[in-house]
């Protein structure tokens, strides 16, 4: 029982450390001032998801819906003629017409805009992450140095084997990309499926989302990223918490808009984070102890390997 309590306290410390790192939003301004392309991409995310997407929802709820309710009343007191009010057919017709018009708004505006925003934002997020790392490398900040130190340590310890050259190296690279894509796809399915679990589904989805945020920001190899994430799950749960919390206070469409606005901010915050050093310093005080590894990607990894069995060349390299 004492060991469980100790691990719970240490998990809370790591979670709080991740939460505080995520709230270091001053890094966003540093990055944007350092790269014009980065500032433009971030501004485009705000314009599309904030002004256009959320602005459309706001106009619909504050202008379009009140107008529809004024033209097609839902209560008898709003009818000019008492004769019309006494007719239930009129109320039913008005209600049906309102629902049809609302559905038309969603089908021809909100849903297409939602899909367009998802596709375009995903491309912009990749650009934002890439520009952020370019800033880090150009200024000689910690990330490139840490990646180099880790790679050097791996080589010295015999943990890292260089990728073969020629055609074999190309096949290995393709295998890694296919595996990474499958892994992220199945992990995303896990996140969506968790929402349907009664009572605890939202909390599980909340935690799974938290771990997805910094995925593409690391320059470590895929296996090292998996190990690092699963070994420090509490930290990354805390890091993703401020952003994911936004989705639980609004409707689905509004939640997406809020998330799409906040996401690039946390991408930049993650890019400038000293996560590795911070986690090492905290665990150093515990003599390397702390909460154990949680196989977050076990299901996604298992499904990915099953799919790869149908691709002989890729399976061989994996």
């Amino acid at each position: 029982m004492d060991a469980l309590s100790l691990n719970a306290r240490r998990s809370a410390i790591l979670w709080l450390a991740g939460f505080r790192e995520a709230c270091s939003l001053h890094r966003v301004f540093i990055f944007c001032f350092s790269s014009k392309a980065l500032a433009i991409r971030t501004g485009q995310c705000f314009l599309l998801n904030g002004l256009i997407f959320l602005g459309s929802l706001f106009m619909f709820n504050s202008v379009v819906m009140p107008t529809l309710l004024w033209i097609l009343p839902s209560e008898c007191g709003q009818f000019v003629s008492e004769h019309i009010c006494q007719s239930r057919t009129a109320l039913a017709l008005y209600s049906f017409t309102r629902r049809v018009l609302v559905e038309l708004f969603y089908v021809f505006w909100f849903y297409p805009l939602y899909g367009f925003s998802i596709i375009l934002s995903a491309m912009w997020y990749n650009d934002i992450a890439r520009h952020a790392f370019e800033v880090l490398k150009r200024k000689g900040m910690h990330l490139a140095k840490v990646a180099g130190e880790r790679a050097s340590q791996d080589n010295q310890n015999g943990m890292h084997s260089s990728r073969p050259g020629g055609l074999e190296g190309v096949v290995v690279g393709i295998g890694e990309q296919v595996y990474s894509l499958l892994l992220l796809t199945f992990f995303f399915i896990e996140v969506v499926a968790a929402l349907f679990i009664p009572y605890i589904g939202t909390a599980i989805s909340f935690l799974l989302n938290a771990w997805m945020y910094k995925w593409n920001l690391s320059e470590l190899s895929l296996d090292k990223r998996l190990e690092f994430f699963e070994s420090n799950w509490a930290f990354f749960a805390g890091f993703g918490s401020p952003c994911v919390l936004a989705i639980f206070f609004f409707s689905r469409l509004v939640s997406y808009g809020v998330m799409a606005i906040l996401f690039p901010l946390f991408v930049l915050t993650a890019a400038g984070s000293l996560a590795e050093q911070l986690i090492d310093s905290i665990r150093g005080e515990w003599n390397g102890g702390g909460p154990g590894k949680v196989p977050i990607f076990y299901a996604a990894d298992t499904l990915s390997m099953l799919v790869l069995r149908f691709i002989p060349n890729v399976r061989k390299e994996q």
Side-chain angles (χ1 to χ4, degrees), residues 63-75 78 94 98:
V63 177
V64 176
M65 279 302 298
T67 302
L68 287 177
L69 288 172
W70 177 67
I71 298 174
L72 304 169
S74 60
E75 298 178 0
Q78 296 174 307
Y94 282 13
R98 280 199 315 273

Side-chain angles (χ1 to χ4, degrees), residues 23-313:
C23 292
S24 302
L25 296 177
H26 63 279
R27 296 170 185 159
V28 176
F29 297 99
I30 296 175
F31 277 113
C32 289
F33 279 123
S34 302
S35 173
K36 182 178 179 181
L38 181 56
I40 291 174
R41 276 288 181 260
T42 304
Q44 287 173 328
C45 285
F46 275 90
L47 180 64
L48 174 62
N49 299 302
L51 184 62
I52 298 178
F53 187 80
L54 288 180
S56 296
L57 289 172
F58 175 78
M59 290 296 294
F60 178 79
N61 291 323
S62 60
V63 177
V64 176
M65 279 302 298
T67 302
L68 287 177
L69 288 172
W70 177 67
I71 298 174
L72 304 169
S74 60
E75 298 178 0
C76 280
Q78 296 174 307
F79 284 94
V80 176
S81 172
E82 294 183 1
H83 176 72
I84 297 178
C85 182
Q86 293 174 356
S87 174
R88 293 186 178 181
T89 303
L91 286 174
L93 179 61
Y94 282 13
S95 177
F96 174 76
T97 305
R98 280 199 315 273
R99 286 198 299 268
V100 170
L101 292 175
V102 169
E103 288 300 321
L104 289 175
F105 272 104
Y106 275 87
V107 170
F108 290 102
W109 179 248
F110 290 123
Y111 292 145
L113 183 60
Y114 178 74
F116 177 74
S117 174
I118 289 177
I119 295 172
L120 197 56
S121 294
M123 294 187 294
W124 287 347
Y125 295 154
N126 289 332
D127 287 344
I128 288 173
R130 178 169 54 83
H131 289 311
F133 272 91
E134 288 175 356
V135 171
L136 291 174
K137 290 178 180 179
R138 187 170 64 246
K139 291 191 173 183
M141 294 176 69
H142 69 278
L143 194 59
K145 180 180 178 181
V146 169
E149 290 176 350
R150 286 178 176 267
S152 177
Q153 291 174 359
D154 289 345
N155 287 327
Q156 292 174 0
N157 296 331
M159 297 171 58
H160 176 75
S161 59
S162 60
R163 178 180 296 180
L167 181 60
E168 186 179 359
V170 174
V171 174
V172 172
I174 294 175
E176 290 181 354
Q177 291 298 319
V178 171
Y179 175 71
S180 180
L181 178 62
L182 288 172
L183 187 71
L184 289 177
T185 299
F186 286 121
F187 185 69
F188 179 75
I189 293 174
E190 287 183 42
V191 173
V192 175
L195 291 172
F196 297 95
I197 301 176
Y199 304 111
I200 62 172
T202 301
I204 293 176
S205 180
F206 168 87
L207 293 176
L208 292 175
N209 266 295
W211 289 310
M212 292 182 70
Y213 285 157
K214 204 182 177 184
W215 176 262
N216 287 320
L217 294 179
S218 174
E219 294 184 338
L220 298 175
S221 61
L222 182 60
D223 59 332
K224 297 298 187 297
R225 279 186 272 170
L226 288 173
E227 178 70 24
F228 187 68
F229 270 64
E230 292 183 337
S231 299
N232 301 288
W233 57 269
F235 177 88
F236 288 104
F239 190 92
S241 296
C243 189
V244 182
L245 278 172
I247 70 176
F248 298 117
F249 299 102
F250 306 102
S251 64
R252 185 175 297 274
L253 285 177
V254 175
S255 295
Y256 165 76
V258 174
M259 181 74 73
I261 291 175
L262 294 177
F263 193 81
L265 304 183
F266 284 90
V267 168
L268 295 176
T269 303
S273 172
L274 294 169
E276 295 85 354
Q277 292 92 322
L278 179 59
I279 292 173
D280 288 344
S281 66
I282 293 175
R283 288 187 175 274
E285 296 177 359
W286 304 332
N287 295 322
K293 179 179 176 180
V294 175
I296 307 162
F297 297 98
Y298 176 78
D301 179 65
T302 302
L303 291 172
S304 298
M305 295 307 296
L306 287 174
V307 172
L308 287 177
R309 290 182 179 180
F310 296 97
I311 313 176
N313 290 337

